[in-house]
């Protein structure tokens, strides 16, 4: 069946330009995201090199600020989000028994916006005055200063947002309409569930960001004063609008990774996921809460007491459903029959490092304590533990888990484990000391620091180089598996369960030409 | 930018080697592994530290328990030990238990947090009020009741920042004019900003509050011991965000009174200086210093600016054109639209003598040679 289908679709460059196939588009997303990861990774090395010792060594402060800003934008909008859309594209149709995504042409478009948006974002660095230097949060009035590079960035954010919204619409349409007969919502794989909820978050949050960005553009160029106090505007309004997007964004990044953990842990525990229904409810509660906690990013702006208390309580509440998830994963493992292949290592490592970030998040929720943590390296450590520790760990877990399915070849398990352990050592070496730096009083986003912060910064810089160099192993493994290697079976993993494992490895071009029956 | 970086590579390498040398020569200052907050010196800072320690402890205990179970399971329930998988996948009782217990723990955290927050918020019955204004990139302190007012800027020499000189103990955490508060008195702060958002943070006092243009935020502190407490701007505010430290001197009340008197004498001398006629050399000398503190952050130490963001003064139309235009630009600001940032108004920041000195300096240095001498009286006449 696959042979005659192969004859129908174009080859070479036009295969990728005009493709409406969910697997090709998934591959495009993943390849794009890893190119962006390299770009963002190099920027992080510029940052960490400058911070190797006190004093200004490599770069000017203005360029340093551009690096922190663009590193964050590239990693969030260029790497983490597209990578998971790539996974959704590849896996959701296969997991729910569909032939393809519901809206294949839009799928093509939502991907092909990305390279142009990314180009615009990177080009901003080469404009007179350089790229955006006001942090990825683009707070006005600072972001109203700055040259044309800021406009490039704002337009790039608009385009990235459009791409995300289109991708989300597609995922929602696919999940709601294209499930195999018998697959009720409460029988869906957790990855499909978490992505369904994430897609709704995206549709609700991204237009809010677009609104904030648009107001910034008109403030910069069309004489409005939304955020200019001198013109009757309100600089804090921007922060409220931004974080109304920004906090759900955190869960947009992390929920699909939770979905991945919930697929992988049962497989390698050889035991069904514990508390499936409570997992779904916990995910939905986190999503709901994510919309009513935004001002915990702004405790120091001078909110009324009632606001400070409300946002503290609501934020603390997130610990409850998050705890449920962790307890469920541990209970899934309990009395299972575990093996620790690379995907399982990444999943367990991800649960562990995420928990560190989750606990520091709880600490940050406590308003009075946050007055000390706010805008310090403690925050930098916290969100890297969440975004790297959960999202990127989830991404690697997913890739190792499904790579044999995608390519039809087993990857090198020994090297995969090396990749995990080296990354884990490097990652913790980079970010764990940053907790101490923050507590001791080092503000974030500074190119130079007081002498007492030297030692931990040094560890952090060593860790960053260690982490990034370790990723070469991953690229080697992935490329080798694409080119060849031992044949993978259809089920690939002994304990794997789900529709994607009923397809051949690699799967046929149109995943399920005939809908499977789900009992 | 990258190309520039590559072109500068040999320079970068030599600076790195120099920096490494300096680092090796001063190991004593560097050996510092602080793991927790700086020593608190106010009641609120103590409460925050206690709260932080308590929550951290709870988190660590839960972490150890949960992952203790996980690691036990990883150790015991593995296939290589021949463990056969169980079949269970649900337990309603357990789900309820691990929803309710965390909730109760959270409530136990929320109670002391709320109490501390209420205490922090109470700015009533203060003994002294100080207004803080954030500028790119310095702080201004006003004592409205004492009629004292001054700017506070980074005192670390440029040579140390550029690794041309050994760094001293308080590198980047030292200022020319520290803010002075009396020990044991409740000080109420009003904080705002002139240009972009800053954040006033002194860890040992347990205070951090954003300085926002158009808003006046309020907070208070009471230092229970004398000493020098250092902090930094905590909200990214542009290029020199990392270079606008805060230094608070807490002194006993008698010394505070003396300090106030001294500040007043200084202010009187400064305003008298506006009345006299200055020589060109005097102006140039004063101007060089004032330029470094006020103008160099944007226009550069050598007046080269940053292309596209901050204009160069070297050969600029304003610094070489009519004197009155130059004075008005400094006093009242200017928006040309050609640059990302606009020139802020410095009328409130500079005395007549300072402005005259800066303008004289800019017109006779930084590559400009107009020969003009600007007197304080001329500045005064253009203040409106």
């Amino acid at each position: 069946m696959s042979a005659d289908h192969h004859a129908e679709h174009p080859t070479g460059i036009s295969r990728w330009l005009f493709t409406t196939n969910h697997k090709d588009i998934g591959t495009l997303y993943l390849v794009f995201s890893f190119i962006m990861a390299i770009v963002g990774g190099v920027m992080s090395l510029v940052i960490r090199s400058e911070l190797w010792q006190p004093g200004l060594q490599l770069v000017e402060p203005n360029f340093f600020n551009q690096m922190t800003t663009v590193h964050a934008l590239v990693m969030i909008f260029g790497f983490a989000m597209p990578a998971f859309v790539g996974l959704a594209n590849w896996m959701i149709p296969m997991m729910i028994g569909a032939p393809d995504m519901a809206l294949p042409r839009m799928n093509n478009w939502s991907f092909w916006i990305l390279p142009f948006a990314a180009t615009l974002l990177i080009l901003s660095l080469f404009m007179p005055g350089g790229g955006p230097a006001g942090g990825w949060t683009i707070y006005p009035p600072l972001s109203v200063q700055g040259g044309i590079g800021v406009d490039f960035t704002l337009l790039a954010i608009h385009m990235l947002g459009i791409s995300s919204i289109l991708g989300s619409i597609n995922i929602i349409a696919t999940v709601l309409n294209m499930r195999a007969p018998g697959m009720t919502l409460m029988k869906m794989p957790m990855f499909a569930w978490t992505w369904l909820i994430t897609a709704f978050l995206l549709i609700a949050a991204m237009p809010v960001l677009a609104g904030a960005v648009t107001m910034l553009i008109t403030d910069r160029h069309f004489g409005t004063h939304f955020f200019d106090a001198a013109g009757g505007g309100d600089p804090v309004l921007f922060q409220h609008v931004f974080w109304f997007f920004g906090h759900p964004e955190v869960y947009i990044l992390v929920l699909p990774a939770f979905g991945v953990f919930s697929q992988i842990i049962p497989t390698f525990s050889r035991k069904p996921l514990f508390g499936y229904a409570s997992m779904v409810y916990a995910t939905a509660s986190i999503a709901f809460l994510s919309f009513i906690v935004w001002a915990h990013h702004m405790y120091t702006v001078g909110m009324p007491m009632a606001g400070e208390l409300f946002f503290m309580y609501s934020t603390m509440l997130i610990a409850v459903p998050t705890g449920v998830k962790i307890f469920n994963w541990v209970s899934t493992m309990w009395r299972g029959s575990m093996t620790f292949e690379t995907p399982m290592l990444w999943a367990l490592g991800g649960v562990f490092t995420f928990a560190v970030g989750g606990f520091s998040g709880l600490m940050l929720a406590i308003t009075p304590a946050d007055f000390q943590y706010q805008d310090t390296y403690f925050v930098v450590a916290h969100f890297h533990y969440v975004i790297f520790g959960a999202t990127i760990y989830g991404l690697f877990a997913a890739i190792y888990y499904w790579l044999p399915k995608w390519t039809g070849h087993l990857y090198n398990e020994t090297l995969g484990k090396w990749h995990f352990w080296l990354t884990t050592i490097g990652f913790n070496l980079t970010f764990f000391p940053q907790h101490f730096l923050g507590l001791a009083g080092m503000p974030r986003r500074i190119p130079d620091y007081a002498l007492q912060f030297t030692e931990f910064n040094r560890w952090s810089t060593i860790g960053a180089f260690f982490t990034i160099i370790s990723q070469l192993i991953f690229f080697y493994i992935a490329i080798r598996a694409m080119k060849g290697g031992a044949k993978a079976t259809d089920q690939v993993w002994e304990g794997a369960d789900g529709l994607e494992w009923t397809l051949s490895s690699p799967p046929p071009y149109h995943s399920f030409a005939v809908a499977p029956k789900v009992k | 930018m990258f190309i520039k970086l590559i072109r500068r590579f040999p320079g970068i390498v030599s600076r790195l080697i120099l920096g490494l040398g300096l680092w090796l020569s001063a190991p004593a200052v560097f050996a510092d592994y602080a793991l927790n907050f700086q020593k608190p010196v106010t009641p609120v800072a103590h409460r925050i530290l206690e709260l932080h320690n308590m929550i951290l402890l709870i988190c660590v205990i839960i972490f150890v328990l949960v992952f203790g179970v996980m690691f036990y399971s990883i150790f015991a329930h593995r296939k290589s030990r021949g463990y056969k998988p169980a079949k269970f996948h649900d337990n309603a009782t357990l789900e309820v238990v691990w929803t309710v217990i965390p909730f109760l723990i959270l409530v136990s955290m929320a109670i002391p947090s709320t109490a501390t927050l209420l205490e922090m918020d109470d700015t009533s019955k203060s003994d002294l009020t100080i207004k803080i204004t954030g500028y790119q990139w310095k702080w201004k302190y006003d004592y409205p009741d004492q009629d004292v007012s001054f700017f506070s800027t980074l005192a670390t020499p440029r040579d140390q920042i550029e690794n041309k000189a050994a760094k001293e103990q308080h590198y980047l955490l030292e200022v020319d004019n520290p803010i002075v508060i009396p020990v044991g008195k409740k000080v109420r702060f009003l904080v705002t900003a002139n240009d972009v958002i800053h954040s006033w943070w002194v860890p040992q006092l347990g205070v951090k509050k954003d300085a926002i243009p158009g808003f006046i935020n309020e907070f208070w502190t009471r230092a229970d011991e004398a000493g020098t407490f250092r902090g930094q701007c905590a909200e990214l505010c542009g290029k020199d965000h990392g270079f606008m430290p805060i230094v608070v001197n807490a002194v006993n009340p008698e010394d505070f009174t003396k300090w106030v008197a001294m500040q007043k004498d200084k202010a009187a001398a400064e305003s008298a200086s506006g009345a006299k006629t200055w020589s060109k050399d005097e102006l140039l000398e004063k101007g060089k210093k004032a330029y470094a503190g006020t103008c160099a952050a944007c226009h550069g130490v050598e007046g080269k600016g940053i292309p596209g963001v901050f204009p160069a003064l070297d050969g600029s139309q304003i610094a070489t054109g009519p004197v009155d235009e130059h004075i008005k630009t400094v006093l009242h600001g200017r928006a040309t639209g050609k640059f990302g940032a606009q020139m802020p108004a410095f009328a409130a920041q500079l005395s007549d003598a300072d402005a005259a000195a800066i303008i004289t300096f800019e017109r006779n240095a930084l590559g400009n040679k107009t020969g003009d001498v600007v007197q304080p009286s001329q500045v005064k006449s253009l203040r409106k």
Side-chain angles (χ1 to χ4, degrees):
Chain A
M1 158 186 144
S2 64
D4 47 16
H5 270 83
H6 271 285
E8 286 170 23
H9 59 87
T11 53
I13 184 80
S14 47
R15 167 180 171 189
W16 301 106
L17 280 176
F18 306 128
T19 182
T20 55
N21 180 276
H22 74 98
K23 299 190 192 73
D24 284 354
I25 292 173
T27 305
L28 283 173
Y29 266 110
L30 285 165
V31 169
F32 168 82
S33 69
F34 276 98
I35 292 171
M36 296 308 281
I38 294 170
V39 174
V42 168
M43 290 176 182
S44 74
L45 292 185
V46 174
I47 295 168
R48 285 310 329 165
S49 301
E50 179 56 53
L51 294 175
W52 167 248
Q53 63 174 32
L56 293 177
Q57 287 77 234
L58 283 172
V59 294
E60 301 299 325
N62 202 42
F63 187 69
F64 181 90
N65 290 346
Q66 292 171 38
M67 285 292 101
T68 55
T69 306
V70 181
H71 161 77
L73 290 169
V74 162
M75 286 305 202
I76 294 169
F77 292 104
F79 176 37
M81 288 168 73
F84 272 90
V85 180
L87 289 179
N89 258 295
W90 251 104
M91 297 318 299
I92 287 180
M94 286 162 59
M95 293 173 108
I96 63 170
D100 205 305
M101 295 292 280
L103 308 162
R105 280 171 211 283
M106 193 166 89
N107 207 8
N108 173 293
W109 189 33
S110 65
F111 171 76
W112 278 107
I113 291 174
L114 287 180
F116 296 96
T119 310
L120 204 56
L121 178 59
I122 306 295
L123 271 183
S124 73
L125 290 171
F126 300 91
M127 293 296 116
W136 83 281
T137 48
I138 48 175
Y139 282 2
L142 186 58
S143 57
V144 177
Q145 303 180 345
I148 191 170
V150 177
D151 301 306
F152 273 49
T153 307
L154 296 178
L155 287 176
I157 292 174
H158 262 313
M159 291 167 70
L160 293 162
I162 291 170
S163 162
S164 292
I165 292 169
L166 295 179
S168 307
I169 291 173
N170 209 348
I171 287 166
I172 293 173
T174 307
V175 170
L176 293 185
N177 294 308
M178 306 207 30
R179 296 191 312 279
M183 181 177 278
T184 60
L185 280 175
M186 290 308 274
K187 281 185 186 165
M188 265 198 319
M190 273 311 292
F191 183 68
W193 251 120
T194 53
W195 243 117
L196 178 66
I197 290 169
T198 303
F200 277 107
L201 285 182
L202 274 164
I203 286 185
M206 294 309 288
V208 178
L209 176 65
V213 166
T214 306
M215 286 190 274
L216 262 189
I217 293 175
T218 63
D219 265 16
R220 283 173 56 85
H221 295 293
F222 305 114
T224 58
H225 300 96
F226 290 111
F227 309 127
D228 177 10
D234 179 350
V236 180
L237 171 68
F238 178 87
Q239 298 186 22
H240 282 292
V241 179
F242 180 87
W243 286 113
F244 189 82
F245 143 81
H247 201 77
E249 171 68 18
V250 175
Y251 296 99
I252 288 164
L253 291 170
V254 87
L255 289 181
F258 288 173
V260 168
F261 298 154
S262 302
Q263 299 296 135
I264 290 174
I265 292 173
T267 296
F268 295 95
S269 305
R270 291 165 184 77
K271 195 163 148 282
L273 181 67
F274 185 88
Y276 174 93
S278 74
M279 279 303 218
V280 172
Y281 300 141
T283 311
S285 330
I286 292 175
F288 168 73
L289 288 172
S290 78
F291 281 106
I292 57 165
V293 297
W294 73 89
H296 67 217
H297 296 266
M298 317 160 41
Y299 283 147
T300 59
V301 300
M303 271 185 292
M305 179 54 55
E308 305 258 18
L309 288 175
F310 172 80
F311 286 108
M312 173 166 78
Y313 299 150
S314 61
T315 305
M316 291 172 80
L317 219 48
I318 295 187
V320 175
T322 311
V324 167
K325 283 189 156 280
I326 291 180
F327 299 142
N328 280 341
W329 287 323
V330 173
S331 307
T332 306
M333 297 162 65
W334 189 255
R335 295 179 56 210
S337 175
M338 275 185 273
T339 51
F340 302 92
E341 288 87 345
T342 309
M344 182 65 159
L345 289 180
W346 281 105
L348 297 183
V351 172
F352 188 84
T353 45
F354 166 72
V356 176
F359 279 118
S360 60
L362 176 60
M363 295 169 72
L364 284 157
I366 309 291
T367 314
D370 179 76
F371 278 85
Q372 292 286 33
Y373 311 138
Q374 169 89 24
D375 276 317
T376 67
Y377 260 84
F378 190 79
V379 178
V380 178
H382 159 72
F383 66 71
H384 281 99
Y385 265 90
V386 176
I387 298 178
F388 195 125
T391 309
I392 304 307
Y393 270 59
L395 175 65
F396 281 129
I399 290 175
Y400 283 109
Y401 188 49
W402 286 313
L403 195 59
K405 173 56 64 184
W406 298 341
T407 62
H409 304 125
L410 297 174
Y411 59 86
N412 186 326
E413 194 61 53
T414 315
L415 279 181
K417 286 179 177 161
W418 271 100
H419 176 220
F420 167 77
W421 284 111
L422 292 180
T423 306
T424 299
I425 293 167
F427 162 72
N428 285 290
L429 189 60
T430 310
F431 294 109
F432 206 75
Q434 295 185 358
H435 290 113
F436 303 125
L437 284 174
L439 296 180
M442 179 168 165
R444 61 190 287 209
R445 293 165 164 171
I446 53 173
D448 192 5
Y449 49 82
L451 303 183
Q452 66 265 33
F453 304 129
T454 309
E455 301 297 334
F456 281 131
N457 268 298
R458 202 145 284 195
W459 286 115
S460 197
T461 299
I462 293 169
F465 276 88
F466 193 92
T467 310
I468 293 201
I469 291 167
S470 305
Q471 303 318 306
L472 295 175
I473 304 172
F474 167 73
F475 288 108
Y476 174 76
I477 295 170
I479 290 167
R480 265 233 343 223
M482 281 182 231
K483 293 206 163 145
K487 287 292 291 168
T489 60
D490 290 355
Q491 199 193 2
V492 184
W493 311 106
E494 188 188 38
D497 187 25
L499 290 177
E500 76 263 38
W501 309 108
T502 64
L503 291 168
S504 60
S505 301
Y509 194 65
H510 298 292
S511 299
F512 284 95
V514 179
K517 280 262 181 298
V518 178
K519 281 174 274 156
Chain B
M1 270 307 168
F2 285 115
I3 296 163
K4 207 171 125 200
L5 209 66
I6 293 163
R7 235 188 272 130
R8 284 174 42 206
F9 190 68
I12 289 169
V13 170
S14 67
R15 279 158 83 179
L16 270 181
I17 293 169
L18 181 71
L20 195 69
L22 289 173
W23 170 60
L24 290 173
S25 63
V29 224
F30 286 82
D32 200 333
Y33 283 104
L35 297 179
N36 210 337
F37 286 161
Q38 297 172 25
K39 181 175 164 280
V41 294
T42 67
V44 165
H46 275 287
R47 296 285 296 276
I48 294 176
L49 178 61
E50 286 160 16
L51 197 59
H52 161 80
N53 285 340
M54 177 195 92
I55 293 162
L56 182 60
L57 185 69
I58 295 175
C59 287
V60 169
I61 291 171
I62 301 174
F63 193 90
V64 168
L65 286 178
V66 172
F67 286 95
V69 173
M70 184 172 120
F71 280 110
Y72 173 78
S73 179
I74 286 175
F75 174 75
H77 307 144
R78 49 169 73 214
K79 196 185 170 196
S80 59
R81 294 166 63 100
Y83 203 89
K84 293 275 171 287
K87 290 278 169 246
F88 68 88
H89 57 80
D90 243 333
N91 188 324
T93 324
L94 263 181
E95 298 279 2
V96 172
V97 168
W98 65 45
T99 306
V100 172
I101 290 180
F103 183 80
L104 295 177
I105 295 173
L106 290 177
V107 171
S108 74
M109 290 178 177
I111 292 167
S113 307
T114 306
T116 307
L117 195 57
L118 290 169
E119 187 183 335
M120 291 171 90
D121 196 51
D122 178 17
T123 53
S124 64
K125 299 198 192 87
S126 61
D127 303 307
L128 173 69
T129 297
I130 302 174
K131 184 183 162 212
I132 303 169
T133 312
Y135 287 79
Q136 284 175 314
W137 292 276
K138 63 191 131 192
W139 298 98
K140 187 188 184 196
Y141 300 108
D142 290 288
Y143 295 64
D145 300 327
Q146 285 71 21
D147 202 22
V148 167
S149 167
F150 58 92
F151 280 90
S152 179
T153 54
L154 177 72
T156 302
R158 200 70 210 165
D159 279 357
Q160 291 186 22
I161 296 171
E162 287 171 357
N163 301 315
K164 291 173 190 153
K167 295 173 175 45
E168 282 161 37
Q169 191 191 356
H170 297 300
Y171 176 71
L172 293 191
L173 296 178
E174 50 198 347
V175 297
D176 52 358
N177 301 311
I179 173 174
V180 177
I181 58 170
V183 168
K185 302 278 185 204
K186 183 167 183 175
V187 184
R188 169 173 166 259
F189 291 93
L190 301 174
V191 56
T192 185
N194 184 56
D195 33 47
V196 301
I197 301 174
H198 305 267
S199 190
W200 201 84
W201 179 35
V202 180
Q204 289 187 273
L205 300 181
V207 293
K208 182 186 287 147
K209 204 73 158 185
D210 290 357
I212 304 171
F215 282 72
I216 296 177
N217 277 326
E218 219 183 359
F219 63 92
W220 70 274
T221 195
R222 194 188 75 216
D224 283 339
E225 52 187 276
T228 303
F229 312 118
R230 296 166 200 276
Q232 284 179 271
C233 176
E235 179 67 55
L236 179 61
C237 56
K239 187 169 74 71
D240 285 348
H241 164 56
F243 305 92
M244 51 181 292
I246 297 153
V247 178
V248 178
N249 276 342
V251 299
N252 62 49
E254 302 85 76
D255 288 343
F256 179 74
T257 317
K258 279 187 215 151
W259 175 81
V260 169
M262 222 172 70
Q263 291 305 109
K264 287 192 165 162
D265 291 348
K266 249 169 87 178
E270 183 66 37
S271 94
S273 73
K276 75 164 194 175
T277 303
W278 292 59
S279 77
K280 187 173 174 184
D281 286 344
E282 283 174 326
L283 285 168
L284 284 177
E285 196 197 327
K286 186 180 174 68
K288 189 175 181 188
K289 254 175 81 184
Y291 176 88
T294 307
C295 318
C298 296
H299 294 296
V301 180
E302 284 157 16
K304 304 284 185 214
I306 294 179
V309 185
F310 302 116
L313 297 182
D314 185 350
S316 92
Q317 283 179 14
I318 296 199
T320 57
V323 175
D324 281 2
E325 272 312 300
H326 191 174
I327 298 174
K328 281 189 206 157
T329 304
V330 170
L331 289 179
H332 309 305
R334 175 177 287 262
T336 57
K338 274 191 283 182
F339 293 91
Q342 62 178 32
M343 172 82 180
F346 283 92
Q349 295 188 43
L350 297 173
S351 68
D352 293 341
D354 276 333
I358 285 171
I359 293 161
T360 306
F361 174 76
E362 287 175 349
R363 299 181 77 81
N364 295 287
L366 311 174
N368 299 330
K369 292 192 187 70
T370 62
D372 299 325
V373 174
V374 179
Q375 291 298 340
S377 54
Q378 197 176 350
V379 174
K380 192 170 185 181
S381 67
L382 289 170
R383 272 194 190 262
K384 280 194 281 201

